[in-house]
Amino acid sequence: MDRPAAPGRPVTSRLTRRQRRRVSQGIQYALFAVVLVLIVFYADWGRLQNQFAQKDLALRLFPEIITTALRNTVIYTTSGFLLGLVLGLVIAMMRLSSVAPYRWVAGVYIELFRGLPALLIFIFVGVAVPLAFPGTEIPGGTYGKVALGLGLVAAAYMAETIRAGIQAVPKGQMEAARSLGFSHARAMVSVVIPQAFRIVIPPLTNELVLLFKDSSLVLFLGVTLQERELTKFGRDLASQTANSTPILVAGLCYLLVTVPLSFVVRRLEARADKAV
């Protein structure tokens, strides 16, 4: 028999912490089930299938969606990532420099390109650069413009990631290298930076995933049929056929790359956590 609460003493819950957690989980499962049932019973699956799942139309996209659109997407992403990695490393070193103007320039660059939408950067590359430098062209045509646009944006984020990685390397590593007769620059290149990159591989891989999706902004630069990436390819075919199946197939092609990359990021992060 429960004992009544003493006068003047606050009445506490009779549920234990484990029981309260089970009740909370039960409510969350019930809420999830209710939302799922509402979606299943109230969505117009017939119209969705007609608009997004036309098998014949989906089959007509192959193999061009792979050989042209996905290939171009990978090229745009890879070139932008490599340019961003090199530029990001330079900016990170400037950020850590003892020369004040270098730190100021690096800081302004990072704040500027992290603060602006990637779309504005693409418009700047496609419109402002030709106006600012008449008669000059970015090497590589559209491929060069996309690499420059993605690289400028990625470099701002990579610079901060690489800087954090360099600062995470124990100072004793630099001191040990200098005691062996290494110059500061050689110790940085041969000892510190390789260790820093091992630390920042997971966030850099995550940046690669983000760039893969940002490559869809190439449509704002104006591309030929052979330069289309996945989003532009799916959008054009959807407009021609008045059906959204090409967009769905293009989205699935993105997942073919981003899901394995995300899995790799999680494995690398788990391995890094075990190493700590």
Side-chain angles (χ1 to χ4, degrees), residues 93-109:
M93 299 305 296
M94 293 173 63
R95 187 79 161 162
L96 296 171
S97 173
S98 58
V99 181
Y102 285 175
R103 295 198 305 273
W104 299 339
V105 172
V108 170
Y109 179 92

Side-chain angles (χ1 to χ4, degrees), residues 28-43 45:
Q28 294 178 53
Y29 279 119
L31 181 61
F32 177 79
V34 169
V35 173
L36 188 62
V37 168
L38 290 176
I39 293 175
V40 169
F41 282 95
Y42 284 93
W45 294 104

Side-chain angles (χ1 to χ4, degrees), residues 11 21 23 49 51 61 63 76 104-105 142 158 165-167 192-193 195 234 238 247 259 262:
V11 178
R21 185 170 64 249
V23 170
Q49 181 180 5
Q51 187 64 25
L61 303 178
Y76 294 146
W104 299 339
V105 172
T142 301
M158 290 185 186
I166 292 175
Q167 291 180 325
V192 177
I193 290 179
Q195 295 186 56
I247 294 178
V259 170
S262 298

